[in-house]
Amino acid sequence: MCLNKVIEQLTQALGEENVLTEKEELAAYSFDATADIPKVVPQVVVTPTSTQQVQEVVKIAAKYKMPLYTRGSGTNLSGGTIPLNQGIVMVMVKMNKILEIDAENLTATVQPGVIIQDLNDAVAEYGLIYPPDPGTVATATMGGSVAECSGGLRGLKYGVTKHYVMGLEVVLANGKVMRCGGKTVKNVTAYDMVKLFVGSEGTLGVITEIIVKLIPAPETRKSALAVFRSLDDAAKAITGIIANKVIPATLEIMDNVTIRTVENYARVGLPTDAEAVLLIEVDGIPEVVEKEAEVVARVCRENNGELKLAETAEERDEIWQARRAALPALAQVSPTTVLEDATVPRSKIPDMLKALRHIAEKYQLTIGTFGHAGDGNLHPTILTDENNAEEMKRVHKAVDEIFEVALSLGGTLSGEHGIGIAKQKYLEKEFGEAGIEALKAIKKALDPENILNPGKILKF
Ligand SMILES: Cc1cc2nc3c(=O)[nH]c(=O)nc-3n(C[C@H](O)[C@H](O)[C@H](O)COP(=O)(O)OP(=O)(O)OC[C@H]3O[C@@H](n4cnc5c(N)ncnc54)[C@H](O)[C@@H]3O)c2cc1C
């Protein structure tokens, strides 16, 4: 095998300090944050420090037809960074410079290894924010979040990553550098290549520079916790708030399993007998926030919700501490946490929640559901043990059914976590045969030798 030659050439191009070959070092890149997927140890790991070094790596991978898996912080939940066919893992975290904050044009230009929170901290000085905020905002990279098209808690009002990416520099599979988009508010030139690369999960090119849109930070915000004895009432409150023309920055739901688990774990004072709680935040200018908070309170009460408005910053923190505890709390209950990403039109949330309860009963599983109810993006979380083969069979059947129901309700396979390897078997159900052919044609056009993140999104 030519592995020695590959390592030699990578070392020449990047320097010894950027090429990892020790067994223990390689093992650290054999998994990501996804449960219940294969672990595969790569043959070599590289940590380029410039676009030019990335080009060198891509050219070497292409020359030796070695699969190349680009990786940010490895926090994705769809198996996106597993080096399925071994080969090279390219970790982007050393390319971590904020290149420019342009407060006049409300843009920032960053390298892909910048951590999302670091960008937010840097733009805060200018009174600006970069809204996409996945739960991993303090660890995930800009490159990884652009490649996944991450969402987060503020998605309802502010959208997801694709709504903020204005321009990209990308190293293509042939090693050439392409730039698309830019700082102009309007850019309708040719195909929308920026959007094509956003969410492409490392399969079409390596993102080496990103221009993002920034927005003014909201002047103030108000948070509330609403407790419901019935799921239907909670769901009616969700649609009612929006029907009353209030778009909260955040509108989250936790079901009873999640409430009980969070309370047991974090003791934040949640009512363990409630069927559901909504955690709501409105933001903007003070007059509007006041008015919107009143509407939220009225709609919740009209739907039999008990509402607690946070009067102080500490009370606000308590509310969000409860939401932030959801996943860690569920994760400590059992050895394996299968976190799904089922997304439906928001009017179908009650149907989806009821279906999830039915699926949990049918397959005798514990499923805790929380998520971004306002945008229809739920995270049913199955608490299980991957060493229990019989139970895992039931888990797989339950997951199949979750996505069947989501699609039948007019939903989608992913609201924010991507396809990777975890959900590729369902892709044709959403795209149809013609759609899959179109996706494959795009992949083949941009990466004819199937070098970039092979085996992800599409199977070849
Ligand atoms: C506890 C927890 C909570 C989470 N909450 C959320 C949430 O609220 N919303 C949400 O959307 N996600 C969430 N996630 C998923 C994950 O954190 C996000 O998808 C994140 O944006 C991934 O960033 P990363 O740097 O870790 O990327 P990685 O996991 O390293 O990579 C993700 C994908 O991007 C590709 N990639 C990475 N860098 C590049 C690059 N420079 N060029 C091309 N391709 C690249 C990889 O090949 C891979 O396919 C959560 C994960 C966990 C573990």
Side-chain angles (χ1 to χ4, degrees):
M1 170 53 173
C2 54
L3 181 61
N4 286 344
K5 261 194 201 165
V6 171
I7 293 175
E8 196 184 301
Q9 293 188 14
L10 288 170
T11 310
Q12 255 170 27
L14 275 64
E16 255 174 46
E17 68 283 12
N18 291 317
V19 182
L20 311 180
T21 53
E22 296 294 328
K23 218 170 137 195
E24 296 76 12
E25 292 170 327
L26 300 180
Y29 297 95
S30 64
F31 59 91
D32 54 31
T34 322
D36 191 30
I37 43 157
K39 290 185 179 56
V40 184
V41 180
Q43 287 161 298
V44 53
V45 173
V46 292
T47 55
T49 57
S50 66
T51 299
Q52 192 234 324
Q53 287 195 352
V54 171
Q55 285 181 275
E56 295 293 336
V57 176
V58 173
K59 282 181 191 161
I60 294 167
K63 183 170 158 193
Y64 292 97
K65 302 228 182 332
M66 259 204 148
L68 177 62
Y69 300 91
T70 306
R71 180 179 172 116
S73 296
T75 68
N76 76 87
L77 292 164
S78 48
T81 45
I82 302 296
L84 273 179
N85 305 332
Q86 297 199 296
I88 308 169
V89 164
M90 179 162 64
V91 188
M92 305 299 284
V93 294
K94 285 191 184 168
M95 290 179 65
N96 61 359
K97 290 190 190 67
I98 296 176
L99 300 171
E100 185 194 50
I101 295 171
D102 181 344
E104 244 172 59
N105 284 306
L106 297 187
T107 64
T109 305
V110 300
Q111 290 188 315
V114 167
I115 300 298
I116 308 171
Q117 186 64 52
D118 290 346
L119 174 62
N120 255 314
D121 292 345
V123 302
E125 282 177 38
Y126 300 82
L128 298 169
I129 58 168
Y130 170 68
D133 61 341
T136 42
V137 68
T139 42
T141 63
M142 287 296 291
S145 62
V146 170
E148 283 292 345
C149 193
S150 301
L153 264 64
R154 295 192 285 219
L156 171 59
K157 180 168 177 179
Y158 294 108
V160 297
T161 300
K162 67 181 170 190
H163 301 118
Y164 294 89
V165 182
M166 298 174 75
L168 290 175
E169 178 188 84
V170 181
V171 174
L172 299 170
N174 57 13
K176 291 185 181 170
V177 177
M178 164 184 173
R179 295 191 76 96
C180 49
K183 283 190 188 178
T184 59
V185 173
K186 288 179 168 175
N187 181 329
V188 297
T189 304
Y191 302 136
D192 193 341
M193 296 302 278
V194 175
K195 286 260 167 46
L196 180 62
F197 285 109
V198 178
S200 62
E201 301 186 30
T203 62
L204 300 182
V206 181
I207 297 163
T208 46
E209 211 175 285
I210 306 157
I211 302 175
V212 291
K213 176 167 87 171
L214 306 170
I215 62 167
E219 279 178 39
T220 187
R221 54 192 62 185
K222 204 150 200 155
S223 303
L225 175 84
V227 178
F228 293 86
R229 304 288 146 192
S230 114
L231 264 183
D232 271 336
D233 283 343
K236 278 187 210 144
I238 294 165
T239 41
I241 290 168
I242 292 158
N244 275 273
K245 302 186 181 61
V246 172
I247 308 291
T250 307
L251 178 39
E252 298 283 304
I253 193 167
M254 295 198 299
D255 73 350
N256 178 263
V257 173
T258 312
I259 294 169
R260 281 189 285 119
T261 316
V262 168
E263 192 47 31
N264 187 36
Y265 170 85
R267 306 265 174 234
V268 280
L270 292 176
T272 49
D273 55 342
E275 276 279 295
V277 295
L278 298 182
L279 304 107
I280 309 157
E281 182 162 290
V282 287
D283 69 3
I285 54 174
E287 299 82 345
V288 174
V289 168
E290 228 23 76
K291 216 173 124 197
E292 291 191 340
E294 278 167 26
V295 175
V296 167
R298 174 173 56 77
V299 174
C300 287
R301 288 193 185 111
E302 280 170 4
N303 289 291
N304 309 312
E306 282 165 40
L307 193 94
K308 187 181 161 218
L309 265 178
E311 299 297 344
T312 61
E314 290 74 41
E315 284 178 9
R316 176 178 175 265
D317 281 352
E318 268 169 33
I319 289 177
W320 295 113
Q321 194 195 334
R323 170 61 179 85
R324 278 192 294 270
L327 186 55
L330 289 167
Q332 52 104 52
V333 172
S334 58
T336 309
T337 319
V338 177
L339 175 63
E340 287 305 347
D341 175 30
T343 306
V344 293
R346 75 170 77 85
S347 62
K348 299 289 184 191
I349 288 254
D351 298 323
M352 192 68 215
L353 286 169
K354 277 181 208 149
L356 287 168
R357 199 185 285 174
H358 170 72
I359 291 168
E361 277 165 21
K362 180 170 169 189
Y363 296 103
Q364 295 155 38
L365 295 167
T366 306
I367 305 184
T369 299
F370 61 94
H372 320 301
D375 45 53
N377 183 195
L378 295 174
H379 293 313
T381 303
I382 307 177
L383 310 180
T384 180
D385 179 358
E386 59 189 330
N387 297 314
N388 181 339
E390 185 277 323
E391 187 169 270
M392 288 313 289
K393 270 192 197 153
R394 284 185 276 126
V395 170
H396 295 147
K397 282 190 184 151
V399 172
D400 289 351
E401 205 163 317
I402 288 173
F403 288 110
E404 233 163 70
V405 175
L407 291 178
S408 74
L409 292 172
T412 178
L413 295 174
S414 175
E416 53 182 25
H417 292 170
I419 299 301
I421 46 180
K423 280 190 260 180
Q424 57 187 189
K425 70 170 167 171
Y426 310 118
L427 203 56
E428 191 162 345
K429 282 203 175 131
E430 181 162 342
F431 267 88
E433 198 190 325
I436 294 288
E437 278 168 16
L439 294 181
K440 283 190 171 168
I442 292 170
K443 169 71 174 169
K444 279 194 181 137
L446 286 173
D447 181 18
E449 301 287 352
N450 199 18
I451 298 290
L452 300 176
N453 211 358
K456 310 300 167 62
I457 304 182
L458 295 160
K459 265 194 181 145
F460 278 96

